[in-house]
Amino acid sequence: MSIEDLNQDVSARGEPVGLFACQLDGPVAVITMNHRPYNLMGREFTEQLIDALRWVGESGARAAILRSGLRHFSAGADLEDMLDAVAGGDGTLGWPILEMLRAFDELPIPIVAAVHGNCLGGGLEMALACDLSIAAESAKIGSVEGTVGLHPLAGGIQRLTQRAGAARAKEMALLGRRYDARTLERWNVINRVVADEQLDQAAATLARELAAGPTIAQAATKALVTIAINEGISAADTAMAELQKPIFLSEDFRTGVASLKANGPGMASFEGR
């Protein structure tokens, strides 16, 4: 089954998770957001996204895609839900935002965001939580929370600072503008821009390439990047030996060495174990 067919068909291998459709396309798990009309993030949406990511982790997939089955990737947060959540309280939103970000980060396989239409506010923050992102040429992307008296609430400021630097992060969050995909590719906010009609296929191709890689080594790579970002280079250096133990014990490492000797570089077929 191709990625393009996902809107029309949820096979027996797929598991609906309320506002999301979760499906296996070979070794790739695909999470399709279907919360009409604009995939607005609220408490229920966030909780079900965590459930969807948990499903991916248990599915046996070796890579994943986060995409939208609607006209837009996500137009941001459900502001009415947000107002209800903070009414009469102490200023705490109470949505499981941190748990959601951890679910992305702790998923031991790479996840690709396939972005089209509007990707604003919380939508951008979901894309930033993924490991790689591909955007359609016509996508409009931005941290627009300032236009309603907020700022990015789900890790956007931190992740924009990591990717684009402090000046660009401040510009995006303080001005609340929408940017074209090519601009944000230049700023390192997203990885790649493709023609609109090529988005699904490009995301599928990238995810399949990742799924064909050494899965155990990829999990260690994700973990090491997280440590380097959160704790610094020295902490990452210290963590290397422990994170590398499963790699040295893996079948993929032995397969890779044997393939290099027999066939030259880049010809190994990994099984993810």
Side-chain angles (χ1 to χ4, degrees):
M1 178 176 293
S2 69
I3 300 300
E4 294 86 343
D5 295 331
L6 289 174
N7 282 340
Q8 287 74 42
D9 184 14
V10 177
S11 76
R13 295 180 299 164
E15 291 290 339
V17 186
L19 306 177
F20 300 84
C22 299
Q23 188 167 0
L24 281 176
D25 182 20
V28 177
V30 183
I31 302 174
T32 301
M33 301 181 286
N34 284 313
H35 183 29
R36 295 184 181 278
Y38 305 120
N39 287 323
L40 296 181
M41 182 186 293
R43 174 186 286 278
E44 183 182 12
F45 182 97
T46 306
E47 291 172 346
Q48 291 192 24
L49 178 53
I50 294 169
D51 289 341
L53 291 167
R54 185 179 299 114
W55 179 87
V56 171
E58 297 170 352
S59 70
R62 295 170 60 190
I65 296 171
L66 177 66
R67 66 187 295 277
S68 169
L70 306 179
R71 181 180 178 184
H72 300 292
F73 184 80
S74 170
D78 186 331
L79 297 177
E80 295 298 326
D81 191 6
M82 187 175 293
L83 287 171
D84 289 342
V86 300
D90 62 356
T92 301
L93 181 58
W95 297 355
I97 298 297
L98 185 56
E99 291 85 347
M100 179 193 73
L101 295 174
R102 285 174 175 164
F104 275 105
D105 194 49
E106 294 174 1
L107 190 68
I109 59 173
I111 182 166
V112 177
V115 174
H116 73 276
N118 287 332
C119 178
L120 307 172
L124 174 55
E125 290 173 305
M126 285 188 285
L128 290 170
C130 295
D131 299 297
L132 300 173
S133 55
I134 297 181
E137 187 92 44
S138 66
K140 296 301 180 185
I141 304 168
S143 294
V144 299
E145 292 90 342
T147 63
V148 294
L150 294 170
H151 80 172
L153 302 171
I157 296 171
Q158 304 86 291
R159 285 161 180 78
L160 287 171
T161 301
Q162 290 167 2
R163 294 189 181 203
R168 292 300 189 192
K170 289 177 181 178
E171 175 182 338
M172 292 183 68
L174 294 173
L175 293 176
R177 294 174 178 169
R178 303 181 186 202
Y179 297 85
D180 63 89
R182 289 290 180 191
T183 295
L184 296 190
E185 182 187 36
R186 291 198 307 271
W187 292 1
N188 294 323
V189 174
I190 58 177
N191 293 90
R192 192 174 306 170
V193 178
V194 297
D196 289 21
E197 65 274 13
Q198 296 174 1
L199 177 63
D200 280 342
Q201 188 56 53
T205 298
L206 179 58
R208 289 170 186 149
E209 181 179 352
L210 291 165
T215 305
I216 293 172
Q218 290 173 341
T221 296
K222 283 191 62 168
L224 205 60
V225 169
T226 296
I227 294 169
I229 290 171
N230 293 339
E231 303 175 45
I233 298 298
S234 179
D237 289 346
T238 301
M240 283 194 301
E242 192 66 28
L243 287 170
Q244 289 163 358
K245 285 181 181 179
I247 300 175
F248 291 131
L249 297 173
S250 70
E251 288 297 321
D252 281 346
F253 173 53
R254 285 155 181 75
T255 296
V257 173
S259 177
L260 179 64
K261 291 180 179 179
N263 305 309
M267 300 302 291
S269 296
F270 298 113
E271 299 294 330
R273 61 177 196 265

